[in-house]
């Protein structure tokens, strides 16, 4: 792909993903790329098989939350989406630029005091002044979490920036982590691609402001919110996936992000159903079924009649980059009282 066309494509992609153009550019495939032929023109879905698997696992962790969660652990990854960050998908990396990068890393990676938090098998590979290279040991895929808006890991290696002693790559995958991963179903390449598409479009929005995914937490189009419970359930059976949710994003916004002519996953077909949409990608199917949300936060599994507790929330001031891990932070639900120090 000529350099001028790559720059133009990077600017187009950035207009949909909230990346800067320089952040988006490394994610635009080159003509001689060895990427799998499972990608859109914007490169969001062009990645290696290990990356595809990592992104699918992240989707299963982030899109389950609340009393009907399908995630095998009590603590899901859903609260990561409460932070402000941008996702930048590349062929062999998944870059997250965040206002509070260490807080994001603390939700993704476990440690001795909180072994059942984060994505099983994800570890800190290297620490920098304001960023961390993460590696998923079961797949070998990498992630980068940084405070630099252009996706750079700045400065020399700085191991003492790992304040909360997040597990590093010298900590083997635990028996509990193996058990969690083994409880998840085997995913075909088509199913992984469909789930990974949800992950890389967390921040997607229309350049004209007509729709916005809003990190699955905060709609930025000035429309009334769909709800405040933020319950989600993403389940998989064979090549059939079903996604229920009761808050942001608006259902039509999610449909636009996944199937739009510019930003959508290439090759996806969509069919309306009585209560949502059925998306097909190869042999995989993703059924989108939005739960109805009333004026109060209710449990969708109980027909909206029983009020339930809010999902886990951080008692940290917004933008406190290291607040989550530099002091005792309590999370309380009916079942949990966790210290994240």
């Amino acid at each position: 792909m000529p350099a001028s066309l790559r720059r133009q494509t990077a600017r187009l992609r950035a207009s949909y993903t909230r990346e800067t153009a320089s952040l988006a550019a490394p994610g635009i495939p080159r003509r001689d790329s060895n990427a799998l032929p499972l990608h859109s023109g914007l490169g969001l879905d062009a990645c290696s098989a290990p990356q595809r698997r990592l992104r699918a696992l992240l989707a299963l962790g982030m899109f389950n939350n609340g009393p009907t969660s399908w995630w095998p652990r009590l603590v899901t990854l859903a609260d990561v989406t409460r932070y402000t960050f941008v996702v930048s998908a590349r062929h062999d990396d998944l870059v997250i630029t965040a206002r509070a990068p260490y807080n994001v890393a603390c939700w993704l990676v476990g440690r001795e005091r909180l072994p059942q938090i984060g994505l099983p098998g994800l570890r800190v590979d290297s620490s920098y002044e304001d960023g961390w290279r993460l590696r998923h040991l079961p797949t070998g895929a990498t992630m980068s979490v940084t405070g630099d808006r252009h996706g750079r890991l700045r400065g020399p290696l700085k191991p003492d920036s790992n304040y909360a002693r997040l597990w590093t790559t010298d900590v083997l995958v635990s028996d509990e982590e193996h058990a969690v991963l083994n409880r998840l179903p085997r995913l075909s390449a088509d199913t992984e691609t469909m789930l990974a598409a949800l992950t890389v479009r967390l921040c997607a929005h229309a350049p004209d402001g007509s729709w916005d995914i809003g990190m699955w937490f905060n709609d930025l189009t000035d429309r009334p919110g769909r709800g405040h419970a933020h319950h989600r359930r993403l389940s998989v059976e064979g090549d059939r996936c079903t996604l229920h949710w009761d808050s942001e994003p608006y259902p039509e916004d999610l449909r636009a992000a996944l199937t739009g002519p510019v930003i959508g996953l290439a090759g996806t077909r969509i069919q309306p159903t009585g209560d949502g949409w059925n998306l097909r990608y190869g042999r995989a199917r993703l059924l989108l079924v939005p739960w109805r949300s009333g004026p109060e936060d209710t449990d969708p599994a109980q027909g909206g009649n029983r009020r339930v507790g809010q999902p886990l929330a951080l008692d940290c001031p917004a933008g406190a980059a290291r607040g989550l891990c530099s002091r005792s932070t309590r999370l309380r639900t009916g079942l949990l009282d966790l210290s994240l120090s």
Side-chain angles (χ1 to χ4, degrees):
M1 181 184 293
S4 59
L5 181 56
R6 292 189 74 245
R7 288 194 294 269
Q8 181 181 351
T9 306
R11 290 193 294 269
L12 176 63
R13 169 168 150 165
S15 71
Y16 279 91
T17 61
R18 292 197 166 87
E19 297 169 280
T20 62
S22 61
L23 178 62
I28 305 302
R30 299 178 182 272
R31 178 174 295 177
D32 59 352
S33 172
N34 292 321
L36 297 173
L38 301 170
H39 61 272
S40 70
L42 297 181
L44 291 176
D45 307 294
C47 66
S48 64
Q51 266 294 318
R52 186 184 65 218
R53 173 68 175 172
L54 171 63
R55 297 171 189 182
L57 292 174
L58 287 169
L60 291 173
M62 290 188 294
F63 301 119
N64 276 290
N65 189 53
T68 63
S69 170
W70 195 75
W71 185 244
R73 280 177 163 175
L74 189 60
V75 182
T76 73
L77 305 180
D79 279 286
V80 170
T81 63
R82 288 176 175 264
Y83 291 97
T84 300
F85 60 78
V86 171
V87 177
S88 182
R90 302 177 182 180
H91 178 245
D92 269 324
D93 198 9
L94 186 66
V95 180
I96 294 177
T97 67
R99 294 181 182 176
Y102 200 56
N103 287 13
V104 172
C106 282
W107 277 109
L108 293 172
V109 182
R111 52 253 196 221
E112 192 63 34
R113 292 192 62 186
L114 288 170
Q116 294 192 21
I117 203 169
L119 181 68
L122 193 61
R123 301 289 189 265
V124 173
D125 187 56
S126 52
S127 301
Y128 297 81
E129 180 179 353
D130 196 24
W132 295 267
R133 175 85 68 189
L134 310 180
R135 183 174 298 277
H136 189 239
L137 297 183
T139 62
T142 62
M143 293 181 63
S144 301
V145 181
T146 176
D148 182 84
R149 63 192 298 262
H150 302 295
R152 297 166 295 194
L153 293 170
R154 297 176 296 182
L157 292 174
K158 192 175 181 182
D160 60 354
S161 66
N162 187 358
Y163 302 98
R165 299 181 181 178
L166 304 179
W167 280 338
T168 57
T169 50
D170 58 352
V171 178
L172 299 178
V173 180
S174 69
D175 291 342
E176 188 272 340
E177 290 177 303
H178 277 301
V180 171
L181 294 173
N182 288 337
R183 288 178 61 187
L184 296 173
R186 292 184 178 274
L187 303 175
S188 67
D190 288 347
T191 300
E192 286 183 351
T193 300
M194 184 76 83
L195 296 179
L198 291 168
T199 297
V200 299
R201 289 166 176 79
L202 271 170
C203 311
H205 72 124
D208 63 3
S210 58
W211 59 265
D212 186 2
I213 297 300
M215 296 290 299
W216 286 74
F217 189 76
N218 184 28
D219 186 289
L220 300 179
T221 60
D222 294 327
R223 292 173 294 182
R226 291 192 65 240
H228 304 289
H230 301 286
H231 295 142
R232 308 165 193 161
R233 176 181 168 85
L234 174 59
S235 59
V236 181
E237 183 176 353
D239 283 321
R240 179 187 174 91
C241 309
T242 304
L243 176 59
H244 298 273
W245 75 104
D246 68 352
S247 304
E248 280 72 30
Y250 275 76
E252 55 271 22
D253 293 10
L254 182 58
R255 179 191 61 183
L258 291 172
T259 66
V262 177
I263 190 68
L265 173 62
T268 301
R269 294 165 293 163
I270 185 169
Q271 178 181 7
T273 64
D275 52 1
W277 294 277
N278 189 18
L279 276 61
R280 292 179 177 268
Y281 178 83
R283 297 180 59 183
R285 290 185 295 168
L286 174 60
L287 184 62
L288 304 177
V289 185
W291 276 320
R292 294 179 181 178
S293 181
E296 292 187 339
D297 302 328
T298 56
D299 181 358
Q302 303 297 326
N305 295 321
R306 181 172 63 87
R307 187 175 180 86
V308 298
Q310 292 285 336
L312 299 179
L314 298 178
D315 297 329
C316 318
R322 300 187 179 98
L324 170 58
C325 302
S326 62
R327 70 175 187 274
S328 177
T329 301
R330 298 287 177 178
L331 304 180
R332 290 188 176 87
T333 67
L335 298 174
L336 295 178
D337 187 355
L338 305 179
S339 174
L340 297 186
S341 60

PDB file of all heavy atoms in Angstrom, residues 197-221:
ATOM      1  N   ALA A 197     -13.833  -8.730  17.306  1.00  0.00           N
ATOM      2  CA  ALA A 197     -14.368  -7.506  16.704  1.00  0.00           C
ATOM      3  C   ALA A 197     -15.058  -6.630  17.743  1.00  0.00           C
ATOM      4  O   ALA A 197     -15.041  -5.396  17.639  1.00  0.00           O
ATOM      5  CB  ALA A 197     -15.342  -7.859  15.580  1.00  0.00           C
ATOM      6  N   LEU A 198     -15.671  -7.233  18.746  1.00  0.00           N
ATOM      7  CA  LEU A 198     -16.284  -6.456  19.823  1.00  0.00           C
ATOM      8  C   LEU A 198     -15.212  -5.710  20.619  1.00  0.00           C
ATOM      9  O   LEU A 198     -15.391  -4.540  20.977  1.00  0.00           O
ATOM     10  CB  LEU A 198     -17.061  -7.380  20.756  1.00  0.00           C
ATOM     11  CG  LEU A 198     -18.331  -8.028  20.213  1.00  0.00           C
ATOM     12  CD1 LEU A 198     -18.803  -9.125  21.151  1.00  0.00           C
ATOM     13  CD2 LEU A 198     -19.429  -6.984  20.022  1.00  0.00           C
ATOM     14  N   THR A 199     -14.106  -6.381  20.907  1.00  0.00           N
ATOM     15  CA  THR A 199     -13.046  -5.782  21.714  1.00  0.00           C
ATOM     16  C   THR A 199     -12.423  -4.580  21.026  1.00  0.00           C
ATOM     17  O   THR A 199     -12.244  -3.522  21.642  1.00  0.00           O
ATOM     18  CB  THR A 199     -11.967  -6.832  22.019  1.00  0.00           C
ATOM     19  OG1 THR A 199     -12.536  -7.886  22.797  1.00  0.00           O
ATOM     20  CG2 THR A 199     -10.801  -6.226  22.784  1.00  0.00           C
ATOM     21  N   VAL A 200     -12.083  -4.709  19.755  1.00  0.00           N
ATOM     22  CA  VAL A 200     -11.359  -3.632  19.087  1.00  0.00           C
ATOM     23  C   VAL A 200     -12.266  -2.462  18.733  1.00  0.00           C
ATOM     24  O   VAL A 200     -11.766  -1.411  18.315  1.00  0.00           O
ATOM     25  CB  VAL A 200     -10.632  -4.154  17.825  1.00  0.00           C
ATOM     26  CG1 VAL A 200      -9.623  -5.223  18.208  1.00  0.00           C
ATOM     27  CG2 VAL A 200     -11.609  -4.679  16.787  1.00  0.00           C
ATOM     28  N   ARG A 201     -13.579  -2.606  18.917  1.00  0.00           N
ATOM     29  CA  ARG A 201     -14.520  -1.513  18.636  1.00  0.00           C
ATOM     30  C   ARG A 201     -15.105  -0.919  19.910  1.00  0.00           C
ATOM     31  O   ARG A 201     -16.155  -0.272  19.876  1.00  0.00           O
ATOM     32  CB  ARG A 201     -15.635  -2.015  17.709  1.00  0.00           C
ATOM     33  CG  ARG A 201     -15.142  -2.261  16.286  1.00  0.00           C
ATOM     34  CD  ARG A 201     -16.123  -3.053  15.449  1.00  0.00           C
ATOM     35  NE  ARG A 201     -15.661  -3.197  14.066  1.00  0.00           N
ATOM     36  CZ  ARG A 201     -14.739  -4.077  13.671  1.00  0.00           C
ATOM     37  NH1 ARG A 201     -14.196  -4.905  14.550  1.00  0.00           N
ATOM     38  NH2 ARG A 201     -14.341  -4.131  12.410  1.00  0.00           N
ATOM     39  N   LEU A 202     -14.434  -1.094  21.026  1.00  0.00           N
ATOM     40  CA  LEU A 202     -14.912  -0.543  22.294  1.00  0.00           C
ATOM     41  C   LEU A 202     -15.124   0.970  22.220  1.00  0.00           C
ATOM     42  O   LEU A 202     -16.029   1.504  22.861  1.00  0.00           O
ATOM     43  CB  LEU A 202     -13.897  -0.842  23.406  1.00  0.00           C
ATOM     44  CG  LEU A 202     -14.043  -2.143  24.184  1.00  0.00           C
ATOM     45  CD1 LEU A 202     -12.816  -2.351  25.061  1.00  0.00           C
ATOM     46  CD2 LEU A 202     -15.295  -2.114  25.042  1.00  0.00           C
ATOM     47  N   CYS A 203     -14.293   1.666  21.477  1.00  0.00           N
ATOM     48  CA  CYS A 203     -14.353   3.135  21.432  1.00  0.00           C
ATOM     49  C   CYS A 203     -14.910   3.649  20.119  1.00  0.00           C
ATOM     50  O   CYS A 203     -14.818   4.853  19.836  1.00  0.00           O
ATOM     51  CB  CYS A 203     -12.948   3.709  21.638  1.00  0.00           C
ATOM     52  SG  CYS A 203     -12.054   3.020  23.035  1.00  0.00           S
ATOM     53  N   ALA A 204     -15.476   2.781  19.306  1.00  0.00           N
ATOM     54  CA  ALA A 204     -15.921   3.193  17.977  1.00  0.00           C
ATOM     55  C   ALA A 204     -17.056   4.207  18.061  1.00  0.00           C
ATOM     56  O   ALA A 204     -17.903   4.151  18.953  1.00  0.00           O
ATOM     57  CB  ALA A 204     -16.364   1.973  17.173  1.00  0.00           C
ATOM     58  N   HIS A 205     -17.073   5.120  17.113  1.00  0.00           N
ATOM     59  CA  HIS A 205     -18.148   6.111  17.024  1.00  0.00           C
ATOM     60  C   HIS A 205     -18.198   6.623  15.593  1.00  0.00           C
ATOM     61  O   HIS A 205     -17.254   6.466  14.815  1.00  0.00           O
ATOM     62  CB  HIS A 205     -17.915   7.276  17.993  1.00  0.00           C
ATOM     63  CG  HIS A 205     -16.794   8.196  17.570  1.00  0.00           C
ATOM     64  ND1 HIS A 205     -16.975   9.531  17.394  1.00  0.00           N
ATOM     65  CD2 HIS A 205     -15.499   7.943  17.270  1.00  0.00           C
ATOM     66  CE1 HIS A 205     -15.829  10.089  17.012  1.00  0.00           C
ATOM     67  NE2 HIS A 205     -14.919   9.146  16.930  1.00  0.00           N
ATOM     68  N   ALA A 206     -19.312   7.230  15.228  1.00  0.00           N
ATOM     69  CA  ALA A 206     -19.459   7.805  13.893  1.00  0.00           C
ATOM     70  C   ALA A 206     -18.772   9.168  13.851  1.00  0.00           C
ATOM     71  O   ALA A 206     -18.929   9.970  14.778  1.00  0.00           O
ATOM     72  CB  ALA A 206     -20.927   7.946  13.535  1.00  0.00           C
ATOM     73  N   PRO A 207     -18.017   9.451  12.810  1.00  0.00           N
ATOM     74  CA  PRO A 207     -17.378  10.775  12.724  1.00  0.00           C
ATOM     75  C   PRO A 207     -18.363  11.926  12.791  1.00  0.00           C
ATOM     76  O   PRO A 207     -18.021  13.001  13.296  1.00  0.00           O
ATOM     77  CB  PRO A 207     -16.665  10.721  11.359  1.00  0.00           C
ATOM     78  CG  PRO A 207     -16.435   9.267  11.095  1.00  0.00           C
ATOM     79  CD  PRO A 207     -17.625   8.564  11.701  1.00  0.00           C
ATOM     80  N   ASP A 208     -19.596  11.712  12.331  1.00  0.00           N
ATOM     81  CA  ASP A 208     -20.595  12.789  12.376  1.00  0.00           C
ATOM     82  C   ASP A 208     -21.381  12.814  13.682  1.00  0.00           C
ATOM     83  O   ASP A 208     -22.310  13.607  13.836  1.00  0.00           O
ATOM     84  CB  ASP A 208     -21.558  12.675  11.197  1.00  0.00           C
ATOM     85  CG  ASP A 208     -22.394  11.383  11.215  1.00  0.00           C
ATOM     86  OD1 ASP A 208     -22.265  10.594  12.176  1.00  0.00           O
ATOM     87  OD2 ASP A 208     -23.172  11.171  10.266  1.00  0.00           O
ATOM     88  N   GLY A 209     -21.022  11.939  14.631  1.00  0.00           N
ATOM     89  CA  GLY A 209     -21.673  11.939  15.932  1.00  0.00           C
ATOM     90  C   GLY A 209     -23.027  11.268  15.972  1.00  0.00           C
ATOM     91  O   GLY A 209     -23.735  11.358  16.987  1.00  0.00           O
ATOM     92  N   SER A 210     -23.408  10.559  14.927  1.00  0.00           N
ATOM     93  CA  SER A 210     -24.742   9.955  14.875  1.00  0.00           C
ATOM     94  C   SER A 210     -24.854   8.705  15.735  1.00  0.00           C
ATOM     95  O   SER A 210     -25.956   8.315  16.113  1.00  0.00           O
ATOM     96  CB  SER A 210     -25.119   9.625  13.430  1.00  0.00           C
ATOM     97  OG  SER A 210     -24.162   8.752  12.837  1.00  0.00           O
ATOM     98  N   TRP A 211     -23.742   8.044  16.028  1.00  0.00           N
ATOM     99  CA  TRP A 211     -23.771   6.890  16.928  1.00  0.00           C
ATOM    100  C   TRP A 211     -22.447   6.796  17.671  1.00  0.00           C
ATOM    101  O   TRP A 211     -21.432   7.343  17.230  1.00  0.00           O
ATOM    102  CB  TRP A 211     -24.084   5.585  16.186  1.00  0.00           C
ATOM    103  CG  TRP A 211     -23.117   5.212  15.077  1.00  0.00           C
ATOM    104  CD1 TRP A 211     -23.257   5.480  13.750  1.00  0.00           C
ATOM    105  CD2 TRP A 211     -21.878   4.505  15.212  1.00  0.00           C
ATOM    106  NE1 TRP A 211     -22.185   4.984  13.042  1.00  0.00           N
ATOM    107  CE2 TRP A 211     -21.331   4.376  13.912  1.00  0.00           C
ATOM    108  CE3 TRP A 211     -21.187   3.960  16.287  1.00  0.00           C
ATOM    109  CZ2 TRP A 211     -20.107   3.738  13.663  1.00  0.00           C
ATOM    110  CZ3 TRP A 211     -19.977   3.333  16.057  1.00  0.00           C
ATOM    111  CH2 TRP A 211     -19.445   3.217  14.763  1.00  0.00           C
ATOM    112  N   ASP A 212     -22.482   6.108  18.816  1.00  0.00           N
ATOM    113  CA  ASP A 212     -21.293   6.041  19.659  1.00  0.00           C
ATOM    114  C   ASP A 212     -21.386   4.813  20.562  1.00  0.00           C
ATOM    115  O   ASP A 212     -22.380   4.638  21.274  1.00  0.00           O
ATOM    116  CB  ASP A 212     -21.194   7.315  20.504  1.00  0.00           C
ATOM    117  CG  ASP A 212     -19.910   7.399  21.305  1.00  0.00           C
ATOM    118  OD1 ASP A 212     -19.078   6.496  21.194  1.00  0.00           O
ATOM    119  OD2 ASP A 212     -19.745   8.381  22.048  1.00  0.00           O
ATOM    120  N   ILE A 213     -20.371   3.965  20.548  1.00  0.00           N
ATOM    121  CA  ILE A 213     -20.335   2.799  21.440  1.00  0.00           C
ATOM    122  C   ILE A 213     -20.123   3.245  22.887  1.00  0.00           C
ATOM    123  O   ILE A 213     -20.638   2.635  23.822  1.00  0.00           O
ATOM    124  CB  ILE A 213     -19.251   1.804  21.003  1.00  0.00           C
ATOM    125  CG1 ILE A 213     -19.574   1.258  19.612  1.00  0.00           C
ATOM    126  CG2 ILE A 213     -19.127   0.661  22.003  1.00  0.00           C
ATOM    127  CD1 ILE A 213     -20.898   0.536  19.532  1.00  0.00           C
ATOM    128  N   GLY A 214     -19.351   4.304  23.096  1.00  0.00           N
ATOM    129  CA  GLY A 214     -19.219   4.895  24.419  1.00  0.00           C
ATOM    130  C   GLY A 214     -18.576   3.995  25.450  1.00  0.00           C
ATOM    131  O   GLY A 214     -18.918   4.065  26.630  1.00  0.00           O
ATOM    132  N   MET A 215     -17.638   3.120  25.024  1.00  0.00           N
ATOM    133  CA  MET A 215     -16.945   2.226  25.955  1.00  0.00           C
ATOM    134  C   MET A 215     -17.901   1.294  26.686  1.00  0.00           C
ATOM    135  O   MET A 215     -17.581   0.747  27.720  1.00  0.00           O
ATOM    136  CB  MET A 215     -16.153   3.039  26.994  1.00  0.00           C
ATOM    137  CG  MET A 215     -15.039   3.884  26.427  1.00  0.00           C
ATOM    138  SD  MET A 215     -13.663   2.908  25.836  1.00  0.00           S
ATOM    139  CE  MET A 215     -13.169   2.086  27.333  1.00  0.00           C
ATOM    140  N   TRP A 216     -19.124   1.141  26.159  1.00  0.00           N
ATOM    141  CA  TRP A 216     -20.152   0.340  26.811  1.00  0.00           C
ATOM    142  C   TRP A 216     -20.516   0.904  28.184  1.00  0.00           C
ATOM    143  O   TRP A 216     -21.056   0.201  29.033  1.00  0.00           O
ATOM    144  CB  TRP A 216     -19.704  -1.120  26.956  1.00  0.00           C
ATOM    145  CG  TRP A 216     -19.729  -1.854  25.657  1.00  0.00           C
ATOM    146  CD1 TRP A 216     -18.848  -1.714  24.628  1.00  0.00           C
ATOM    147  CD2 TRP A 216     -20.691  -2.818  25.232  1.00  0.00           C
ATOM    148  NE1 TRP A 216     -19.199  -2.526  23.591  1.00  0.00           N
ATOM    149  CE2 TRP A 216     -20.326  -3.224  23.931  1.00  0.00           C
ATOM    150  CE3 TRP A 216     -21.815  -3.375  25.828  1.00  0.00           C
ATOM    151  CZ2 TRP A 216     -21.053  -4.158  23.215  1.00  0.00           C
ATOM    152  CZ3 TRP A 216     -22.540  -4.310  25.117  1.00  0.00           C
ATOM    153  CH2 TRP A 216     -22.159  -4.700  23.821  1.00  0.00           C
ATOM    154  N   PHE A 217     -20.248   2.186  28.380  1.00  0.00           N
ATOM    155  CA  PHE A 217     -20.494   2.746  29.705  1.00  0.00           C
ATOM    156  C   PHE A 217     -21.076   4.148  29.659  1.00  0.00           C
ATOM    157  O   PHE A 217     -21.872   4.514  30.506  1.00  0.00           O
ATOM    158  CB  PHE A 217     -19.189   2.773  30.507  1.00  0.00           C
ATOM    159  CG  PHE A 217     -19.354   3.131  31.950  1.00  0.00           C
ATOM    160  CD1 PHE A 217     -19.859   2.198  32.842  1.00  0.00           C
ATOM    161  CD2 PHE A 217     -19.054   4.389  32.423  1.00  0.00           C
ATOM    162  CE1 PHE A 217     -20.046   2.513  34.174  1.00  0.00           C
ATOM    163  CE2 PHE A 217     -19.231   4.719  33.747  1.00  0.00           C
ATOM    164  CZ  PHE A 217     -19.720   3.775  34.628  1.00  0.00           C
ATOM    165  N   ASN A 218     -20.707   4.935  28.656  1.00  0.00           N
ATOM    166  CA  ASN A 218     -21.106   6.336  28.685  1.00  0.00           C
ATOM    167  C   ASN A 218     -21.347   6.826  27.264  1.00  0.00           C
ATOM    168  O   ASN A 218     -20.413   7.073  26.507  1.00  0.00           O
ATOM    169  CB  ASN A 218     -20.022   7.192  29.346  1.00  0.00           C
ATOM    170  CG  ASN A 218     -20.440   8.642  29.479  1.00  0.00           C
ATOM    171  OD1 ASN A 218     -21.615   8.938  29.577  1.00  0.00           O
ATOM    172  ND2 ASN A 218     -19.468   9.533  29.470  1.00  0.00           N
ATOM    173  N   ASP A 219     -22.607   6.971  26.887  1.00  0.00           N
ATOM    174  CA  ASP A 219     -22.960   7.467  25.568  1.00  0.00           C
ATOM    175  C   ASP A 219     -22.608   8.947  25.470  1.00  0.00           C
ATOM    176  O   ASP A 219     -22.949   9.727  26.350  1.00  0.00           O
ATOM    177  CB  ASP A 219     -24.459   7.261  25.323  1.00  0.00           C
ATOM    178  CG  ASP A 219     -24.874   7.611  23.910  1.00  0.00           C
ATOM    179  OD1 ASP A 219     -24.877   8.814  23.585  1.00  0.00           O
ATOM    180  OD2 ASP A 219     -25.181   6.695  23.137  1.00  0.00           O
ATOM    181  N   LEU A 220     -21.918   9.341  24.398  1.00  0.00           N
ATOM    182  CA  LEU A 220     -21.464  10.718  24.245  1.00  0.00           C
ATOM    183  C   LEU A 220     -22.271  11.494  23.213  1.00  0.00           C
ATOM    184  O   LEU A 220     -21.836  12.549  22.760  1.00  0.00           O
ATOM    185  CB  LEU A 220     -19.984  10.716  23.842  1.00  0.00           C
ATOM    186  CG  LEU A 220     -19.032  10.040  24.838  1.00  0.00           C
ATOM    187  CD1 LEU A 220     -17.602  10.080  24.314  1.00  0.00           C
ATOM    188  CD2 LEU A 220     -19.119  10.686  26.206  1.00  0.00           C
ATOM    189  N   THR A 221     -23.442  10.983  22.843  1.00  0.00           N
ATOM    190  CA  THR A 221     -24.251  11.647  21.817  1.00  0.00           C
ATOM    191  C   THR A 221     -25.377  12.486  22.409  1.00  0.00           C
ATOM    192  O   THR A 221     -26.258  12.935  21.677  1.00  0.00           O
ATOM    193  CB  THR A 221     -24.858  10.609  20.868  1.00  0.00           C
ATOM    194  OG1 THR A 221     -25.689   9.713  21.618  1.00  0.00           O
ATOM    195  CG2 THR A 221     -23.771   9.815  20.156  1.00  0.00           C
TER     196      THR A 221
END
